[in-house]
Amino acid sequence: MTELKIGLEIHVQLNTGKLFCDCESYITDTVIGSFQRTLYPTSGELGKTDRAALFELSRGRIFNYAITDNSCLVEMDEEPPHPINKKAVGTALALSIALNCLTFQKISVMRKIVVDGSNTTGFQRTSLVGLNGTVKFHKRIGITSVCLEEDSARKISQDGNTVLYSLDRLGIPLIEISTEPDIESAEEAVDVARELGYMVMSTGMVKQGADSIRQDVNLSLGFGRVEIKGVSRLNIIKEIIEKEIERQNNLGAALILMKERGGFEASRVVPIDVTSLLSRTKSKIILTALNRKESIYSFLLPNLEGLLKNDKYKVGREVADCLKPFGVNGILHGDELPGYGITENEVKEITAHLALKENDSFALIAVESDRVGELIKVMNERIKKLEKLDFSETRAANIDGTTHYLRPLPGRERMYPETDIPGFEITKNLLKETKEIAPGTLDEQIEKMSRKYSISQQDSSTLIRNGDREIYEEICGFIDYKLAARILIHIVPQFERETNTVVERSVLLDLCRALSERGTLKLSLEPALRIINEEKKVPVDILDDIRIKPLSKDEILELINAEMSEEPEFNEKVMLSRLKKKSNRPLDPMVVMAALKEIHKA
Amino acid sequence: MQFGSKVKVRYRGSELSGRFINKSGKSIVLKLDNGYNITLSDEECEFLSSTYEDSEGETDIVESYGTGPLNIMMLHTGGTIASRVDYATGAVTPVQDLRFLSPGLRNLQKKVTVHSKVIDNVLSENMVPDHWQRIATEVARHMKSFDGIVVTHGTDTMTYTSSALSFMFEEQTVPVVFTGSQRSSDRPSSDAFHNIEGAVVASTQNIGEVCISSHLDTSDSTMNILRAVRSRKMHSSKRNAISSVGSGLIGEVQAGEFRKVDIRKPRSDRNVIKSKLEKDVLLYYFSPMSRPEDFLTIAQGNKVSVIIGTGLGHIGDRFLEPIKELTEQGSEVIITSQTLFGEINLNVYSTGIKLQEAGAFSVGRILPEVAAIKAMWVLANFKSEDFRNIMQSDIRGENPSRETLDRT
């Protein structure tokens, strides 16, 4: 077996505001209008129309777009793009430098043709910021490129050939880091993805949110390169890779068997209209198709008997998958028929005209009569390609760790210059500024942070891993470094665990700032968090709330005297816990001690 | 070095290979094999090798498209719609090859055969009245032998050219439909394809007018067929930038089907064309900052001054003297309005009455630019004593006598 080679593409959304307009980066359901478009592939800079783009065209789709409150004429492709977002460029440049990439004199924005509707323009704006880098984690990993691009529109739904997208995500800056295929196991892939993720997060420019980091996995096992899109969680990478290896090995075995039997004779695949033979069927699938005015065709699948769906052989699924982009949900094939309400007699009738030979199987497809020819052609081409043990294609990750066919791999000449945006010059000054935010590897960052704030390496590591580095550094701007670490590592996580909630970091920052100005941060923080959470308040509402105000020395003395009149005997510790029970306000043990001392003296 | 040459360069210690795109100033642009363009500083870039293969360019140009019975002539004058950017030089070249616009024609190929001819390559901001006349001559020449004429044109001044042709063509045997685009046709999202479809469909209808095909709104679904003399570019970048002001919608095209709204004139059985123009016409924008002496300086020497006034057609009293001077010298002064929408009425306020006394007159609802173009045409083709009367009447739908609360 050829050795496994894996490369990763990490996509990270930035919180800098959109890349080519002045809209903010967030996801929203606030829709203020909609419109409809079509897209047509056009020629690239060097003349040839892109293969992947043409493929999308053959699908003849209509795109609807929901206009959100964070989209303007730029996202609608109704206004030229604004100059590129400087903060986003700085972040991409910082990462390029940290990853030892080659950088250039100018950043040139390109148009990458994408006509699946996910960009209103029909292209994605992207620019190459760093090239040919390398980074050392547990071993050296080559970095192919660091790109800065605009995120695509968010797909909401699809109904046949009509797709609905939301414009909220379109234009959010996305940093794409691609590695060389230097990764040799699924475990290693997870590690590299995690390390790269930390590096990007350490810039402090990463957008918060579930979808803000996405991975693509490029994998080759000797059957050509397979690109798996949209692996959103780190912990699924391993499973995806393992299942893909299994799929390719099984598919390879099935196809070798098919070849030994004489191969896939595409010329024998001739669809025959069997609609009339099934007019009395009880099969729900067929009846639904007939209701939609579709015709039912049967056709041969030469030398595929027992390989379509049988134990580990699942060629049937591969066949069905390639028809899905054309709005065909599936086929019914010989390995699963009789079944799905289709009787043995019906099977006999519909296969009667097919000239089945030994090892041949067959399938049924429901489709409008004018499309059947085109679909059979698509299917034949895919099986012929697989037969050559060329599995290269673009696939998409499913939630369960499996993948499905998406489209052929994009061709090479899919880009041409974005003539509406002037090149962005990388000046010496910009490089200097950028070096200051340049992140290092995780270990380097931990070391650097622990030194800068005199906190333990363990605390530093926890803060970075929790994504709290940015807020920590901000809080350190006005309070003691150690207290800041205690708040973020102990007080807040403990509160979050007890209440099963998440404290929003912006709220926490506001609260810390206000309380530290009043000098009561240490004592008031926890009660304040509690009130905010229980009573759904914002920090400014509760700053003067008596319940978060620490008891003064006089108030404590008064309380102690009242306690002593009930029970004169006490030691310091007992008194402290008695006072805590008596008052619902925070109290400072040091002040209690001082008060007790005064009483003793008296 | 030639555009497209395969090159290897050394740059900051790395070897890169790709294709040479261009060199400007101290920057060299290469296209890497991964498709990205990179810009390198001249000083840091050392060329290791370069080879150039003359690629077989597509030399065959398709000048007709479709197999339908109706023959449509598409005349290209330049502008975004019929242009491609040459990425090597940045120059804009005209497209004669109809395959480029074919997505817009695909659904019509059994109804029409579209023929294509480049008659000019002018960005519309560079158009002057001489171009209008050349375009009119070309259009007139093809009217006899085709079933419809489509003119592709830059959108910036499309309404000027089309309005000029509208006046020139007193009677026409076929529709003349102008169209353009706000997104160049080398972009997948170009509005060109739908605008073209609208234009070709409209050119097959029983319309004896000069019109414009343009998006109704931001969606690629409905194309407005607008009366040229009531149209105006009202947005710098949106797809529906060209819209009619008040009335002026002739029809709509949706999914290749024409829906009639208001056809003023059907096709005629003959072409009557008066293409002469008097060039000495001034279009002047009045504002609180305007100085009467400046106005007088530029107005003198023009036979007509069209002033774009405020509101109902008002111009500051300080302009009464210069206007009087001009009209006494035999010039005509026409008042229009910056409001674009609504009628000019010089009888409501004393300002208007004083303007009339100074010899100026208003022209109903005619748009300012259209008033100027009409004046050029009327001066050149009719007796001067008829000037005011023709200017104030409605001859091509430019001056509707009533305005309702219909769709605008």
Side-chain angles (χ1 to χ4, degrees), chain A residues 380-394:
Chain A
N380 280 349
E381 275 169 15
R382 176 157 159 90
I383 300 178
K384 289 307 272 185
K385 181 168 174 289
L386 295 177
E387 188 178 19
K388 290 178 204 147
L389 298 184
D390 175 3
F391 299 172
S392 62
E393 62 196 20
T394 307

Side-chain angles (χ1 to χ4, degrees), chain A residues 290-338:
Chain A
L290 294 177
N291 271 339
R292 283 199 305 253
K293 304 276 177 244
E294 288 170 348
S295 301
I296 315 294
Y297 293 87
S298 83
F299 53 90
L300 266 178
L301 287 172
N303 291 320
L304 277 169
E305 192 192 20
L307 303 177
L308 293 164
K309 189 182 183 181
N310 188 355
D311 189 18
K312 58 180 190 174
Y313 299 135
K314 289 169 187 156
V315 180
R317 191 172 167 180
E318 303 290 337
V319 175
D321 260 5
C322 74
L323 300 174
K324 280 189 184 140
F326 297 88
V328 175
N329 277 332
I331 56 168
L332 292 174
H333 56 70
D335 285 0
E336 52 193 9
L337 295 176

Side-chain angles (χ1 to χ4, degrees), chain A residues 84 89 93 102-110 126-131 146 421-428 430-431, chain B residues 11-12 22-30 32 36-42 44:
Chain A
I84 194 164
V89 171
L93 205 54
L102 200 58
T103 57
F104 310 106
Q105 186 194 22
K106 276 183 192 170
I107 288 175
S108 320
V109 181
M110 306 294 292
T126 174
S127 54
L128 182 68
V129 181
L131 187 72
V146 176
I421 302 168
F424 183 96
E425 191 141 0
I426 302 174
T427 58
K428 287 211 171 97
L430 179 65
L431 278 175
Chain B
Y11 170 74
R12 295 186 188 170
N22 65 22
K23 180 176 181 221
S24 92
K26 292 197 161 181
S27 301
I28 289 169
V29 178
L30 300 185
L32 295 180
Y36 279 98
N37 283 18
I38 52 170
T39 309
L40 309 176
S41 74
D42 182 18
E44 293 177 278

Side-chain angles (χ1 to χ4, degrees), chain A residues 35-40 42-43 45-46 73 76-80 102-106 108 110-111 115 120-123 126-128 131 147 412 415-417 419-420, chain B residues 3 11-12 14 16 19 21 26-27 31-41 84 87 103 106 183 185-189 193-194 218-221 235 237-239:
Chain A
F35 60 98
Q36 187 179 88
R37 295 275 170 76
T38 39
L39 292 173
Y40 304 96
T42 50
S43 293
E45 185 181 356
L46 294 173
L73 290 186
M76 293 173 70
D77 189 38
E78 284 284 42
E79 179 175 303
L102 200 58
T103 57
F104 310 106
Q105 186 194 22
K106 276 183 192 170
S108 320
M110 306 294 292
R111 299 170 172 175
V115 289
T120 46
T121 49
F123 49 74
T126 174
S127 54
L128 182 68
L131 187 72
C147 294
R412 290 174 101 180
M415 277 191 257
Y416 58 115
T419 45
D420 296 341
Chain B
F3 168 71
Y11 170 74
R12 295 186 188 170
S14 279
L16 303 173
R19 283 173 192 272
I21 298 294
K26 292 197 161 181
S27 301
K31 188 178 193 69
L32 295 180
D33 293 337
N34 64 11
Y36 279 98
N37 283 18
I38 52 170
T39 309
L40 309 176
S41 74
R84 293 190 62 172
Y87 293 109
R106 191 161 28 201
R183 299 282 148 331
S185 48
D186 55 7
R187 302 166 62 130
S189 63
F193 312 122
H194 293 270
T218 190
S219 290
D220 282 334
S221 49
H235 196 277
S237 63
K238 281 170 73 182
R239 282 166 172 71

Side-chain angles (χ1 to χ4, degrees), chain B residues 67-71 107-113 201 204 255-257:
Chain B
T67 53
L70 295 172
N71 283 290
N107 297 330
L108 304 171
Q109 53 185 314
K110 290 193 178 134
K111 286 186 187 155
V112 298
T113 303
V201 169
T204 64
E257 296 296 323

